Structures are given as C-alpha cells and as structure tokens.
Amino acid sequence: MLKCIAFDMDDTLLSINLSAFIAVFAKDEATLLADVGRKNPLATFASLTGVMLDLNNNSRSDDDTRTNRAFFDAEIERRCGVALADPVVADAFTYYEREVLPGRNDAIIAARPRPGALEAVDRALDRGYTVALLTNPSFSEACIRTRMGWGSLTDIPFKLVTYMENTTRVKPSPTYYLACAETLGFAPEEILMVGNDPKRDFPTPDCGIQTAYVGHGRRPVRATWAGSMEEFARSFDEVEERFAAYAERRLLDIVQDTSVGH
C-alpha cells in the first residue's frame, strides 16, 4: 500500500541548469578554500572536484559508516590540508552557502519551480501521503536549502530532507534509500520515488522502492509510471493504480520463486 511519496529536487521539483550551478558552486568553494588555506586556486579546484566525484560515485568501502559530510571533510583535509570542520573555516563556508549562494541564481542557472511541481506535492498532501525530499545528498544542508528556496519548497512539510550531514551514501545506493525508508518509518514497498534521473532515482540494485519517472528521455524499464511532472500532478489515480498493480506482480513473483525453491 502506498503511504509515502518521495521527490527528487533538481529537474524534478526544481527546474535548473544543474551543470551551470555545479560549475559556479565548485569555482566559488574552491576559491574560498584556496583563500582560507593559502593554496593555489587551480590545485584546490582540482582537489575539490575530485572529492565531489568520489562522493557521487560512492567510492568507499562498504563498512565505512561516516556521513557524507565527514567523508567529504576528511578527503578535503587529506588532499588540501584544510580542516573544514574547524569552526572558523566552517563558518566561512556556511556564510557563503547561506548568504552569498542564494544570489548566484542567474539567467544561466535559471532555477525556478518546475511546472506542475508544487501542484504535485499539494496533491500528495491532500491525499494524505507523507512527503519527503530525497535529493541527492552530495551537498550540505545549507546548499540544499538554498535551492529549495529557489523552487519555493521551503514551507512544504517534508518529513525528511536528505543532505550531506544526515546520510552515509548517495544515490543510487540502496544503502541510502533503505536508510531513508527507515528514518521515514515505512517499508520500501510503501514508498514511491519521483525523479527525473534514469540512473540515480532508481535504487541499484533494486531494494523494493518503486519509481515514477518524470524525465525527458526514454522511459526506463523499471519505471512504475512515466510522464511529465505536470502529468504526474494530474494523474494520481493512474499512479496509484500502477503502484498497486506493480506491487501485486512483485508479490506474485516472490511467491512463485518461493514455490519453485521448495
């Protein structure tokens, strides 16, 4: 039974030129890192982008239980010699992400609510579903809340918003998704993920969470439902029916596999 609808943010609820945003963000933070650590700006940029890549690739051992924030900070200190956890340094980066970054949204980044996004969240809430914002947690809370502001998402009662500080993996790791399900208090089979990324918004390997695809490319084979965000907002009856049918098929497959095994 569907109980929780979890939304991705970038290009799902928030229209944004994500590549342009990441380029601006990485350049600004690398410059700040170079200033704080008195390092070469080009070297710090290379180190910062390398750590961001490792974080997004889940490049660490399975028994590493550090938060994404702790992993990121440790790698920056190892590669750049700057301790991001130092209160003075942390304050400088927090100030940038809370006070400066919000003003960096320009005509190129072009961040704004995606058509149909707020209507979709309102429809989910009206039907009594718990809603969560499972944006890829490769950025700090301050950075993610800045983008939430650009998408008019700040006042939505999300039960969970994921970011560096409260997660230990990023998408599409099932470790990330299962931890979110546990925090939300639902079984994976009770959650529908809504996202635009055919790779990251589908847990890999599958962990029981279904996904509604609102991207622009070819419909992924595993998608429970596919269409635009505006169509998703108008199609809740169909989405619920597809969710239930998919769950029933999966249950039958499990029963058949169990029968064959005996």
Side-chain angles (χ1 to χ4, degrees), residues 212-228:
Y213 178 67
V214 293
H216 300 295
R218 180 182 301 177
R219 173 178 179 157
V221 174
R222 287 172 55 194
T224 295
W225 180 93
S228 69

Side-chain angles (χ1 to χ4, degrees), residues 166-225:
N166 66 355
T167 53
T168 63
R169 292 295 186 279
V170 301
K171 299 175 180 180
S173 168
T175 299
Y176 163 76
Y177 283 103
L178 291 174
C180 290
E182 183 176 1
T183 299
L184 288 164
F186 297 110
E189 293 76 16
E190 297 173 323
I191 300 172
L192 176 66
M193 180 71 202
V194 182
N196 72 296
D197 193 320
K199 294 182 179 179
R200 293 192 181 276
D201 293 324
F202 291 79
T204 305
D206 188 358
C207 65
I209 292 176
Q210 296 186 47
T211 302
Y213 178 67
V214 293
H216 300 295
R218 180 182 301 177
R219 173 178 179 157
V221 174
R222 287 172 55 194
T224 295
W225 180 93

Side-chain angles (χ1 to χ4, degrees), residues 3-230:
K3 296 182 180 179
C4 175
I5 299 181
F7 294 90
D8 174 53
M9 181 165 63
D10 300 312
D11 286 323
T12 296
L13 296 182
L14 174 71
S15 288
I16 186 172
N17 182 335
L18 190 58
S19 295
F21 168 77
I22 292 174
V24 168
F25 176 80
K27 181 178 181 297
D28 286 352
E29 294 236 326
T31 298
L32 183 56
L33 189 63
D35 289 344
V36 169
R38 298 182 180 180
K39 307 289 184 179
N40 179 283
L42 292 178
T44 56
F45 181 80
S47 295
L48 177 70
T49 54
V51 174
M52 291 175 69
L53 184 61
D54 285 347
L55 177 63
N56 274 286
N57 288 337
N58 287 306
S59 300
R60 46 181 161 150
S61 62
D62 291 341
D63 60 356
D64 186 344
T65 60
R66 291 175 296 173
T67 63
N68 291 325
R69 172 88 266 172
F71 171 83
F72 183 86
D73 288 0
E75 286 299 298
I76 288 293
E77 184 169 6
R78 182 177 70 83
R79 300 185 192 196
C80 300
V82 178
L84 293 179
D86 180 280
V88 175
V89 177
D91 284 349
F93 279 85
T94 298
Y95 178 84
Y96 163 74
E97 292 177 3
R98 289 181 178 172
E99 305 297 332
V100 179
L101 186 60
R104 299 291 270 152
N105 185 20
D106 58 16
I108 297 175
I109 293 175
R112 62 199 183 282
R114 188 173 179 186
L118 300 180
E119 292 84 355
V121 177
D122 285 343
R123 186 66 59 85
L125 290 169
D126 288 344
R127 295 208 174 189
Y129 294 118
T130 295
V131 294
L133 188 64
L134 302 193
T135 181
N136 199 37
S138 54
F139 296 95
S140 70
E141 179 179 6
C143 180
I144 284 173
R145 293 202 181 277
T146 287
R147 301 209 306 283
M148 288 175 67
W150 291 345
S152 299
L153 304 172
T154 304
D155 295 330
I156 294 174
F158 293 115
K159 187 174 181 180
L160 172 65
V161 177
T162 56
Y163 37 82
M164 268 186 174
E165 292 84 351
N166 66 355
T167 53
T168 63
R169 292 295 186 279
V170 301
K171 299 175 180 180
S173 168
T175 299
Y176 163 76
Y177 283 103
L178 291 174
C180 290
E182 183 176 1
T183 299
L184 288 164
F186 297 110
E189 293 76 16
E190 297 173 323
I191 300 172
L192 176 66
M193 180 71 202
V194 182
N196 72 296
D197 193 320
K199 294 182 179 179
R200 293 192 181 276
D201 293 324
F202 291 79
T204 305
D206 188 358
C207 65
I209 292 176
Q210 296 186 47
T211 302
Y213 178 67
V214 293
H216 300 295
R218 180 182 301 177
R219 173 178 179 157
V221 174
R222 287 172 55 194
T224 295
W225 180 93
S228 69
M229 180 55 74
E230 290 175 294

